[in-house]
Amino acid sequence: MARAGLTPQRLTRVGAELADEVGFDHVTVSELARRVDVKAASLYSHLRNSHDLRTRIALLALEELADRAADALAGRSGKDALTALANVYRDYAREHPGRYTAAQFRLDPDTAAASAGARHAQMTRAILRGYDLTEPDQTHAVRLLGSVFHGYVSLEMGGGFSHSAPDTQQTWSRTLDALDALLRNWPPP
């Protein structure tokens, strides 16, 4: 019999909280069992293994990010939309570092296709319509934005920018200015 209150959804939420506290790489079924004060064996009626738990946390993180991005982008276009999307990723990473890492977790193709990851790409493509990009440049730009957002956030969170002036907010703003200028003046093939 399953322990009262333990569901895959609750365990995923607790696992996501654990990821934010100890790091996504340290989330296991055993660690989760300690957190909810049960034996690990009792969780296997809800979770297959640690990979299943980590996949569930990744899907939760992608969903949370997509919901935040959709709210932030409502009614915005151009640079305003670009800045809103970028800030969603940066703010989420600061608030939920373990979940942010989880959002980068490699999912199998079927799981990825059914995840909120597709919403992220759709929202980014919607922003790019304001810059009048067509394929294949639109795909190149989606990849560029993802790389810059993730790269900057990862370096900043790792302390990579903490040793020199100006402060990281100034650099972030200038980076977004540069991305906007690049998207408005996308080079021809």
Side-chain angles (χ1 to χ4, degrees):
M1 180 172 167
R3 184 173 173 142
L6 292 183
T7 65
Q9 295 79 15
R10 179 166 178 256
L11 293 171
T12 301
R13 288 252 173 231
V14 173
E17 292 166 9
L18 183 63
D20 288 338
E21 292 172 25
V22 302
F24 182 65
D25 293 338
H26 299 292
V27 174
T28 63
V29 171
S30 297
E31 193 60 39
L32 180 62
R34 280 190 280 285
R35 177 60 58 101
V36 296
D37 196 29
V38 299
K39 295 197 182 307
S42 66
L43 297 184
Y44 289 109
S45 62
H46 305 289
L47 304 165
R48 288 188 303 271
N49 51 37
S50 290
H51 186 270
D52 180 39
L53 172 61
R54 295 176 78 190
T55 297
R56 290 171 182 271
I57 295 168
L59 293 171
L60 172 67
L62 288 168
E63 189 71 34
E64 289 176 342
L65 265 168
D67 290 346
R68 284 186 181 201
D71 289 345
L73 292 174
R76 297 176 190 248
S77 63
K79 183 180 179 198
D80 192 33
L82 173 69
T83 300
L85 182 64
N87 286 335
V88 163
Y89 283 98
R90 187 175 183 221
D91 293 346
Y92 188 81
R94 289 172 162 180
E95 293 169 31
H96 300 291
R99 292 180 214 200
Y100 180 77
T101 300
Q104 315 309 313
F105 187 62
R106 187 180 190 101
L107 302 171
D108 69 73
D110 291 337
T111 302
S115 77
R119 285 177 57 205
H120 292 266
Q122 290 168 347
M123 286 184 275
T124 305
R125 287 179 186 281
I127 289 170
L128 294 175
R129 282 195 292 274
Y131 291 99
D132 201 30
L133 294 176
T134 59
E135 285 300 344
D137 289 331
Q138 202 175 78
T139 297
H140 297 314
V142 167
R143 292 173 180 168
L144 171 71
L145 293 177
S147 298
V148 172
F149 297 166
H150 178 66
Y152 191 95
V153 166
S154 296
L155 287 167
E156 182 180 37
M157 289 178 58
F161 302 139
S162 62
H163 307 335
S164 62
D167 90 353
T168 59
Q169 181 57 45
Q170 288 178 336
T171 304
W172 180 248
S173 295
R174 295 293 291 149
T175 299
L176 297 179
D177 290 343
L179 285 173
D180 175 62
L182 172 63
L183 293 170
R184 282 187 284 108
N185 299 289
W186 194 262

